[in-house]
Amino acid sequence: MGSAGGARQVPPRAARALADGRSLTRDLAADLLTHLPELGSAKAQRHLDTWVEQAAETLLALSEVLEERLLDLGSTVDTGGRPVVHR
């Protein structure tokens, strides 16, 4: 999406979707790490812990990618999680 002078116009809905995705993936990663059940079996617990940690790391990586995309588009997120588009 372009505009006069070559500056990109970021649709507010797109910036908001990226910001929402960024916040949601961070929140999901945190929630996932706080809801680990105790299985009783040490081996099963290690497997579950590993899987949960990998899932949380994946969610955090996705959050970082969404944040990078916001920055690439010239947008940041304010303290309330709302996108701020810089033109």
Side-chain angles (χ1 to χ4, degrees), residues 64-86:
E64 290 174 10
V65 168
L66 293 169
E67 185 171 3
E68 288 173 11
R69 186 65 179 142
L70 275 168
L71 294 173
D72 288 346
L73 293 173
S75 179
T76 55
V77 179
D78 69 14
T79 56
R82 294 174 300 274
V84 178
V85 179
H86 305 282

Side-chain angles (χ1 to χ4, degrees), residues 9-83:
Q9 296 291 323
V10 180
R13 288 177 63 186
R16 182 67 194 170
L18 289 168
D20 288 348
R22 174 188 160 272
S23 295
L24 180 60
T25 51
R26 279 198 184 161
D27 292 347
L28 287 172
D31 287 347
L32 189 58
L33 291 171
T34 60
H35 292 91
L36 277 174
E38 293 294 325
L39 299 178
S41 163
K43 183 177 179 180
Q45 190 70 49
R46 278 193 308 275
H47 287 295
L48 177 64
D49 291 350
T50 299
W51 182 85
V52 168
E53 288 172 8
Q54 289 174 348
E57 288 173 7
T58 300
L59 287 166
L60 290 173
L62 179 56
S63 179
E64 290 174 10
V65 168
L66 293 169
E67 185 171 3
E68 288 173 11
R69 186 65 179 142
L70 275 168
L71 294 173
D72 288 346
L73 293 173
S75 179
T76 55
V77 179
D78 69 14
T79 56
R82 294 174 300 274

